Amino acid sequence: MKRRDSLLRELQSSPRTFDVVVVGGGITGAGIAREAAGSGLKTLLVEQRDFAWGTSSRSSKMVHGGLRYLGSGQYRLTRDAVTERQRLMDEAPGLIEPLRFIMPHFQRQFPGPRLFQILLRVYDWISRTHSRQLLTPGEAMQWVPGLNTEKLTGASGFTDAVTDDARLVQRVITEARQDGAWCLNYVKAVKVLRAEGQVSGLELQAEDYAEAFIVNTPLIINATGVWADRLQQPDSDEKPMTIRPLRGSHLVLPWHKLPVSCSVSLFHPDDKRPVFAFPWAGTTVLGTTDLDHKESLDKEPRIAVEEVDYLLRISKRLFPRAAISRSDVLSTWAGVRPVVTADHSTAGPKAPSKESREHEFREDKGLISIAGGKLTTFRLIAREALTRGLGGEERLRQESGPVFRPTPRLLRPANISHQNWQRLVGFYGSDLCAVLQAGPTAAVSDDAASGSVPGELLWAEVIWACKHEDVRHLDDLMLRRTRLGLIAPEGGKALLPLVKQYCQSTLNWDDEQWRAEELRYLALWSEAYSLPGHPEPTHAV
């Protein structure tokens, strides 16, 4: 597969023609590129920042059927999601992994065990599984040591799934590229071009090129999430989508401080919406919030003080003996959901958690815009977008076509655990052999300089990302290709000398550029991935 710089030179040399151009490099855009290229369509995907930079690296990591959506009557959304959840787990074990969920029940607290078990019975029936379980208080404590026992009457258990959302995007993009898609990050869509009202092309601007350039296409699919209205024509006859940006924020804690092996959920007493504590990448994550995001969409979203307090209150309610405080927080992340809302001019806006998560389309003479939807159902959304844009399914591959190619059988190296091998197979698929050959297979956490870095990330993975996964900035590597910026203390600041040692020559950055990237990354981490009020760095390490 050609590298990004080579593809950009080809695009700038003369206008190229594509069957479809996808704008937006999150999970929806990646899924569209995968289905389009897999169907033999000449496909270009462009992302104005980094792949998965927006919501698709900042979600709650859940690949679930949406039990709460079933509770609010969104049956179709739940049915589609549980079907896709099972499909993804079957196709990519290690990337999409089953996770046990435990909902404690306390006296006189909604929902009670009887009502919740009825909901789980319907959930199991839809998914054609039997995962529900009613636990006694003693059994609940075995699943969740340290759980608050005051007025505890029992718990309900069921199974959903969890993933690394940014890695999921990368894996889907890799599959699209293997079928011929051109996928470029840091390329912005500037203007939709039209001939007699019909889409004819797109003007693009790459971050590292002074001049804009044009590609020809009869079909543009706008999968930019909360930015979807920016490509829409204000004077179009089509009714515009009204996007309500809703922020969801999370706290990342050391696993030893809150050691959970399953996802523990409770309805928050403030607004009666579910909040989770769940294991992820060797840490414990506490989230999420749900409130209107009123800041500029061009700035990195960040957690607010009131959201920190909101999450700490529920941690105290669930795990009083853990005594979680701000000083325990390793990092934070905040994502903005592109929720399509109705006109509430008379009744007033709904509470954020009451808004539908169903996706919607807007069609405008060759421009298909999408907003809303769930991580779990990205494949279905992708196929629907292409069906609308192409005028039917005739040009699409069979619906049964897999998202992920099977991974070739490889012998597990003796120094890699069975659990980590499963993760590697899921993360890299058919690239795994090449990944292991890219560098040392020692774990980053084994290095003395890494401090208390959890997880089993290999240095080979870090080097592979720099060689083959379009790392343009240090935050691409630290926050999305790997999660070192989220799971290591202070955003992995103590690790940066080692990262430089392994990666500087591969990235072809001189010392001046490396220092500039370190300063940029540490300032960004301080601004958007730490607790509010964290001091900004004054120099690189």
Side-chain angles (χ1 to χ4, degrees), residues 192-488:
V192 176
L193 306 178
R194 295 178 181 268
E196 298 180 354
Q198 190 70 28
V199 165
S200 61
L202 187 63
E203 182 181 339
L204 300 169
Q205 176 74 60
E207 178 190 68
D208 41 348
Y209 285 78
E211 295 184 4
F213 56 96
I214 290 171
V215 295
N216 301 316
T217 183
L219 176 59
I220 298 171
I221 302 184
N222 172 13
T224 55
V226 291
W227 297 270
D229 58 353
R230 295 189 178 182
L231 281 182
Q232 297 178 45
Q233 285 185 295
D235 57 349
S236 171
D237 295 333
E238 296 289 331
K239 182 181 178 182
M241 288 187 294
T242 303
I243 297 174
R244 183 180 183 183
L246 297 178
R247 187 171 69 244
S249 299
H250 303 75
L251 303 178
V252 182
L253 305 165
W255 189 82
H256 68 82
K257 187 65 181 178
L258 191 58
V260 296
S261 59
C262 58
S263 178
V264 188
S265 180
L266 192 68
F267 283 84
H268 200 290
D270 288 6
D271 55 8
K272 310 304 182 201
R273 65 176 310 277
V275 179
F276 302 90
F278 61 95
W280 181 75
T283 68
T284 298
V285 175
L286 193 63
T288 178
T289 59
D290 198 7
L291 73 167
D292 287 296
H293 182 72
K294 298 179 180 178
E295 288 74 34
S296 169
L297 295 175
D298 293 324
K299 293 181 61 178
E300 296 254 1
R302 70 159 308 154
I303 195 169
V305 172
E306 57 267 27
E307 292 175 283
V308 176
D309 294 339
Y310 175 94
L311 294 173
L312 290 178
R313 281 199 298 277
I314 197 66
S315 74
K316 183 177 181 180
R317 175 74 177 90
L318 274 173
F319 306 101
R321 283 176 289 177
I324 303 297
S325 68
R326 285 171 174 77
S327 63
D328 297 311
V329 176
L330 284 171
S331 67
T332 70
W333 79 72
V336 182
R337 308 177 184 96
V339 173
V340 182
T341 187
D343 183 6
H344 301 299
S345 56
T346 57
K350 291 182 181 179
S353 60
K354 300 296 184 183
E355 290 280 14
S356 171
R357 266 47 176 181
E358 292 272 13
H359 62 277
E360 289 191 18
F361 291 92
R362 180 179 186 267
E363 302 178 46
D364 185 11
K365 299 178 182 178
L367 174 63
I368 310 291
S369 298
I370 314 164
K374 287 165 54 64
L375 173 73
T376 314
T377 55
F378 73 88
R379 188 189 68 91
L380 298 180
I381 297 171
R383 289 185 65 86
E384 184 178 353
L386 288 166
T387 298
R388 287 171 177 264
L390 299 170
E393 296 184 352
E394 292 78 13
R395 297 179 67 184
L396 294 185
R397 65 182 184 146
Q398 291 293 317
E399 202 277 338
S400 59
V403 174
F404 305 106
R405 292 170 174 82
T407 303
R409 291 185 176 274
L410 299 171
L411 289 175
R412 177 179 61 85
N415 65 324
I416 297 178
S417 69
H418 287 279
Q419 182 177 358
N420 200 27
W421 186 246
Q422 172 97 335
R423 179 189 69 84
L424 290 165
V425 169
F427 274 32
Y428 299 103
S430 57
D431 283 335
L432 178 55
C433 184
V435 171
L436 296 178
Q437 293 172 357
T441 57
V444 174
S445 57
D446 290 341
D447 201 296
S450 67
S452 56
V453 178
E456 297 183 281
L457 178 75
L458 307 181
W459 280 114
E461 297 177 74
V462 181
I463 297 168
W464 167 265
C466 294
K467 287 181 176 179
H468 299 287
E469 293 188 336
D470 301 311
V471 171
R472 302 290 303 168
H473 295 288
L474 190 55
D475 56 286
D476 300 339
L477 179 66
M478 298 295 288
L479 296 173
R480 288 172 291 278
R481 304 303 182 277
T482 76
R483 298 308 195 138
L484 290 171
L486 297 177
I487 65 177

Side-chain angles (χ1 to χ4, degrees), residues 61-89:
K61 321 305 180 198
M62 303 295 181
V63 180
H64 60 77
L67 187 62
R68 60 179 285 216
Y69 308 134
L70 179 62
S72 61
Q74 298 178 67
Y75 172 82
R76 189 187 71 173
L77 180 63
T78 306
R79 179 202 62 200
D80 290 345
V82 294
T83 303
E84 291 299 298
R85 178 199 67 190
Q86 190 59 50
R87 178 177 180 143
L88 290 169
M89 286 195 292

